[in-house]
Amino acid sequence: MSLLMSNSLPDATGRRRSKPPRPPIRTPAIRNAGRFLSAFGAVLINAAALKVYAQTAQPAPTSQPVSAPEKAPSPYKKMSLDELMDIELMQVEVTSVSRRESTVGQSPSAVTVITQEDIRRSGARSIPDTLHMAPGLEVAQIDNSTWAISARGFNSNTANKLLVLMDGRSVYTPLYSGVFWDVQDTLMEDIDRIEVIRGPAGALWGANAVNGVINIITKDAADTQGLFVRGGVGTEQRDFIGARYGWKIADNAFARVYVKHFERDETVLSTGADGADDFLMTQTGFRIDWQPSTQNHYTLQGDVYQGNRSNLTTDDTDLAGGNILGRWKHKLEHGGDVSIQMYYDRTQRDIPQTFAEDRDTFDFDFQYHVPLGARHDLTFGLGYRVSADDVTNSAAISFIPDHQTQQLFSAFVQDEIQLIPDKLRLTIGARIEHNQFTGVEVQPNARLLWMIDPRQAAWAAISRAVRTPTRLERDLQIIAPTVSVLGNKDFESENVIAYELGYRIQPSKLLALDLAAFYNNYDKLRSLEVNGTQYTIDNQLNGQTYGIELGATLKPADWWVLRSAYTYLQVQLQTDPGSTDTTTVASEGNDPEHQFYIRSSMDLPHHLDLDCTLRYVSELSNQNVPAYTAVDVRLAWRPSQQLEFAIVGQNLFDNQHPEFGASANRHELERGVFASLTYRW
């Protein structure tokens, strides 16, 4: 299965075949689109510079640096940094925990919210890059477009226990229950926040939300009015350009369109040779929001993308796809609400001589929330999803049959019970799903929240979650001269029973702490049973994980904020009696025991921002990846509300290092620097 992600093909001896050099861009349509966008962006940026020249020539205002004026629906987004810090931990908005509007302080879960300001000041140019800021997540870059991302263990290039959503649209693939991170993208400046939930969330979100949920939420169209342009060039981030325009189309109706293009330079192999994995993609999209009354809100949005990635031993990989989503939210008079969401998603991936897949997915989701009396708050919903694939098999990888349509029916209910009003709350719920592989699956959970006072809370939870079988476990066939790997039509769902404890406190506006501890017990995990030269996928593995996750925010001065995260993780795996698996247990060494992250954000005089980030990740013993420390620095100057210049250095103190991959000829990440110019009007 790693071939699906590595995009390269080994020969009979397992070595990578050499390939003569070639231009990194081979698709004329993509090349022409990239040239057009680069030229278009250059014209806009030059026009912007001329337009604000008169403003920047005047003495700069002496007030604190200001960001672009954007309409903000949430009152917390209108507050100054001082005011926000005073309420940040307990009152930051979050919706993914209970599938309705709530706050971090009212959430009986381990949750981290990465805000747009966090994203801007981090200098991250991709969604995976931003996830380094969340404790409990393992984020490892394998090559220029491939990532291994998981929560609380079991990381790999086909990690399958983390559900990822874009504005409520599931982006995991039923092919292997993971995420193709290379095509999960949008204009970074349009992201409102990223909500990261660690721990099982299957009772609300369904199968595959085993170890957590990541929900990427973009801004309402009303909050992105006017012109926005950002472009830049660099060593590893070779060039990038993005433009968005938002306008009012009618009373209480707003729209935006965006387009972006980027090209990334190839990585380097551990041998010093070029990685031949340069990557480019062009994406465009739109969003329309209409709120004819305070009770109704309609959203229509969509994206289309096309990408191209070079490979070391084969022709280039082609990526394409698109989606369209519609949502209606209605507020009821008695304080409840109802929502209906539908989306269609199309993906295409073609790795020459290895694998190709076209997939079409349609999803319908209904949700109803109603308070019942003074003590009960009930939420329930229904869902239906159908996903059809068309696979092109090769000598390396086959899926039998090569076409399959899967249907998923689901229903959930959750009740929040005020045992002691405003002090002690019990949340109980369950989700029932029916899939065509294992039939009915039930995922219950119970959570208890104790609001000690307005600035501190403690919580506890026990949950059951499952990961249902995929095409990988059931239909895979790899037939090689010396070894074969076969799927198993009797593969069952993996399951976990999880126990969690948490505590969060904000004793003053200077300091905020969030602590979570967990113990997970897994059963029927995927194993690889061996019989001579034949390997068969089965469920004869079990294991336990436990650890702690700590997040902290410290404000030493009005102009200086420190944010940090620490994760300690232990993974223990065992085979069942009678198992012949001799290799999978070693995958417990795919996860770092220790992770540490700290970012310093300073607002300096003369409208300068200085952000310094340090990440430490301990060794991955099974991957033969040594511990590494990465340091990123961002310096930005904002002479006016409209203009920003920034220089970002990544991995500054290390020439190159690997983050994942056991191969002796793996890809390694190099030091990089890029500069960007941003214009808002």
Side-chain angles (χ1 to χ4, degrees):
M1 185 59 190
S2 60
L3 293 175
L4 302 185
M5 307 296 291
S6 66
N7 300 316
S8 57
L9 185 65
D11 61 19
T13 65
R15 296 188 298 270
R16 308 278 180 192
R17 299 195 296 269
S18 61
K19 186 178 180 184
R22 64 186 187 289
I25 305 174
R26 299 176 58 92
T27 304
I30 299 177
R31 180 175 62 247
N32 294 335
R35 289 174 175 173
F36 170 77
L37 288 172
S38 298
F40 174 67
V43 171
L44 288 176
I45 291 173
N46 279 284
L50 290 174
K51 190 173 184 67
V52 301
Y53 174 79
Q55 297 173 344
T56 58
Q58 300 298 323
T62 58
S63 60
Q64 289 291 325
V66 293
S67 53
E70 290 187 337
K71 179 182 174 184
S74 170
Y76 303 118
K77 298 173 188 175
K78 298 178 181 178
M79 296 182 177
S80 68
L81 183 60
D82 290 341
E83 294 171 318
L84 184 60
M85 280 299 300
D86 193 39
I87 54 97
E88 180 178 26
L89 179 66
M90 308 303 287
Q91 297 299 328
V92 169
E93 180 183 353
V94 63
T95 59
S96 304
V97 174
S98 58
R99 291 186 62 138
R100 60 180 180 81
E101 292 183 2
S102 184
T103 64
V104 170
Q106 293 288 328
S107 299
S109 299
V111 57
T112 299
V113 178
I114 302 172
T115 67
Q116 169 57 219
E117 182 70 0
D118 294 329
I119 296 171
R120 184 184 72 85
R121 300 200 66 152
S122 71
R125 297 308 308 155
S126 70
I127 290 173
D129 240 349
T130 67
L131 300 178
H132 289 296
M133 291 182 271
L137 287 188
E138 300 155 50
V139 182
Q141 189 171 352
I142 299 175
D143 57 34
N144 219 351
S145 60
T146 311
W147 296 75
I149 300 178
S150 186
R152 297 182 174 179
F154 301 96
N155 204 18
S156 75
N157 59 348
T158 55
N160 56 22
K161 294 177 176 57
L162 186 64
L163 181 65
V164 181
L165 307 166
M166 290 278 289
D167 287 320
R169 174 176 57 88
S170 176
V171 298
Y172 91 98
T173 171
L175 184 72
Y176 69 98
S177 288
V179 177
F180 287 116
W181 284 102
D182 49 5
V183 295
Q184 309 312 324
D185 199 13
T186 189
L187 197 65
M188 298 295 291
E189 293 73 20
D190 285 353
I191 297 175
D192 180 70
R193 64 190 186 273
I194 300 176
E195 298 179 357
V196 180
I197 303 171
R198 291 104 58 198
L204 284 178
W205 295 104
N208 308 309
V210 176
N211 284 1
V213 173
I214 297 174
N215 194 4
I216 302 147
I217 301 171
T218 61
K219 297 178 181 179
D220 190 288
D223 304 326
T224 53
Q225 295 296 285
L227 176 66
F228 172 90
V229 182
R230 171 168 289 177
V233 295
T235 56
E236 301 306 303
Q237 299 280 346
R238 187 184 298 159
D239 61 72
F240 55 91
I241 179 72
R244 172 243 292 154
Y245 183 73
W247 71 99
K248 183 176 181 179
I249 57 179
D251 289 342
N252 300 313
F254 300 86
R256 71 165 176 259
V257 294
Y258 79 90
V259 63
K260 68 177 295 185
H261 173 82
F262 67 80
E263 298 183 31
R264 298 178 190 156
D265 195 20
E266 61 190 354
T267 59
V268 63
L269 300 180
S270 56
T271 59
D274 292 337
D277 60 342
D278 42 279
F279 180 50
L280 63 91
M281 191 161 73
T282 300
Q283 180 163 319
T284 185
F286 75 96
R287 175 163 172 159
I288 300 172
D289 286 282
W290 179 39
Q291 191 168 0
S293 66
T294 56
Q295 288 77 33
N296 294 288
H297 192 131
Y298 300 88
T299 299
L300 181 67
Q301 64 187 88
D303 310 274
V304 177
Y305 65 86
Q306 186 173 13
N308 178 271
R309 178 213 145 112
S310 297
N311 295 319
L312 187 63
T313 60
T314 69
D315 290 337
D316 295 351
T317 294
D318 292 324
L319 311 167
N323 63 82
I324 187 165
L325 178 147
R327 184 188 307 113
W328 170 55
K329 292 184 177 180
H330 176 69
K331 292 184 178 179
L332 304 174
E333 293 182 358
H334 48 68
D337 55 79
V338 60
S339 67
I340 295 176
Q341 175 181 283
M342 293 183 290
Y343 69 79
Y344 166 74
D345 189 284
R346 166 78 170 175
T347 62
Q348 296 174 288
R349 178 176 298 264
D350 184 4
I351 308 172
Q353 303 177 32
T354 304
F355 171 79
E357 181 201 36
D358 296 345
R359 180 174 291 277
D360 296 276
T361 301
F362 171 78
D363 183 274
F364 170 84
D365 184 84
F366 167 81
Q367 180 176 305
Y368 188 87
H369 161 235
V370 56
L372 297 177
R375 292 182 178 269
H376 294 268
D377 204 343
L378 187 68
T379 304
F380 64 89
L382 302 170
Y384 171 73
R385 181 178 303 160
V386 57
S387 185
D389 65 30
D390 187 2
V391 174
T392 300
N393 292 323
S394 70
I397 295 178
S398 298
F399 287 86
I400 308 299
D402 59 6
H403 173 77
Q404 188 173 84
T405 299
Q406 301 178 38
Q407 297 186 80
L408 180 68
F409 300 87
S410 62
F412 77 89
V413 61
Q414 176 175 278
D415 189 13
E416 295 182 359
I417 307 168
Q418 297 285 346
L419 301 179
I420 302 177
D422 301 322
K423 278 291 184 181
L424 191 64
R425 187 180 75 208
L426 174 65
T427 301
I428 56 174
R431 186 180 183 100
I432 300 175
E433 292 186 336
H434 182 275
N435 68 84
Q436 66 189 60
F437 293 148
T438 61
V440 175
E441 299 283 359
V442 181
Q443 302 180 80
N445 96 127
R447 296 180 179 273
L448 188 67
L449 176 71
W450 176 29
M451 293 297 300
I452 302 170
D453 60 45
R455 289 183 172 272
Q456 60 178 327
W459 58 272
I462 179 171
S463 312
R464 181 182 188 269
V466 301
R467 185 187 72 82
T468 53
T470 65
R471 294 269 267 150
L472 172 65
E473 285 91 15
R474 295 176 60 89
D475 302 331
L476 177 68
Q477 289 191 11
I478 300 178
I479 308 298
T482 59
V483 68
S484 62
V485 180
L486 302 178
N488 182 354
K489 299 295 185 183
D490 295 324
F491 189 86
E492 301 179 61
S493 295
E494 300 179 339
N495 65 79
V496 61
I497 303 295
Y499 308 87
E500 301 175 86
L501 293 172
Y503 176 73
R504 52 179 66 100
I505 182 172
Q506 186 162 359
S508 73
K509 71 177 184 179
L510 303 179
L511 178 66
L513 299 171
D514 194 347
L515 176 67
F518 64 92
Y519 177 85
N520 295 345
N521 190 22
Y522 297 86
D523 193 21
K524 297 183 179 180
L525 294 172
R526 186 172 64 199
S527 63
L528 202 57
E529 305 300 316
V530 59
N531 182 9
T533 61
Q534 177 177 303
Y535 291 83
T536 303
I537 298 173
D538 210 334
N539 292 98
Q540 300 193 52
L541 191 70
N542 64 82
Q544 302 78 38
T545 66
Y546 58 90
I548 59 172
E549 301 155 352
L550 175 65
T553 301
L554 175 66
K555 187 182 179 187
D558 290 344
W559 48 270
W560 187 14
V561 178
L562 294 169
R563 301 179 187 274
S564 63
Y566 170 73
T567 302
Y568 170 76
L569 174 67
Q570 284 289 327
V571 180
Q572 300 172 349
L573 300 177
Q574 309 90 31
T575 54
D576 294 342
S579 172
T580 58
D581 187 333
T582 59
T583 58
T584 311
V585 169
S587 64
E588 64 185 21
N590 289 350
D591 305 296
E593 184 175 346
H594 303 279
Q595 291 189 90
F596 178 73
Y597 171 94
I598 185 168
R599 187 176 88 244
S600 166
S601 297
M602 297 181 178
D603 296 332
L604 302 178
H606 307 295
H607 307 291
L608 292 173
D609 295 343
L610 178 61
D611 300 275
C612 303
T613 302
L614 180 146
R615 290 186 295 113
Y616 169 79
V617 179
S618 62
E619 68 171 342
L620 309 181
S621 58
N622 190 47
Q623 299 286 314
N624 295 319
V625 173
Y628 68 88
T629 302
V631 176
D632 302 339
V633 176
R634 174 184 176 271
L635 179 64
W637 176 46
R638 290 181 286 162
S640 72
Q641 291 184 344
Q642 286 77 34
L643 198 61
E644 178 185 273
F645 302 91
I647 298 177
V648 178
Q650 298 175 314
N651 194 32
L652 289 180
F653 298 159
D654 185 9
N655 185 44
Q656 65 186 67
H657 70 266
E659 293 188 356
F660 205 87
S663 169
N665 198 29
R666 62 193 166 203
H667 295 263
E668 299 193 354
L669 308 182
E670 299 178 89
R671 180 186 297 116
V673 177
F674 67 84
S676 67
L677 185 150
T678 302
Y679 172 68
R680 300 174 175 91
W681 185 257

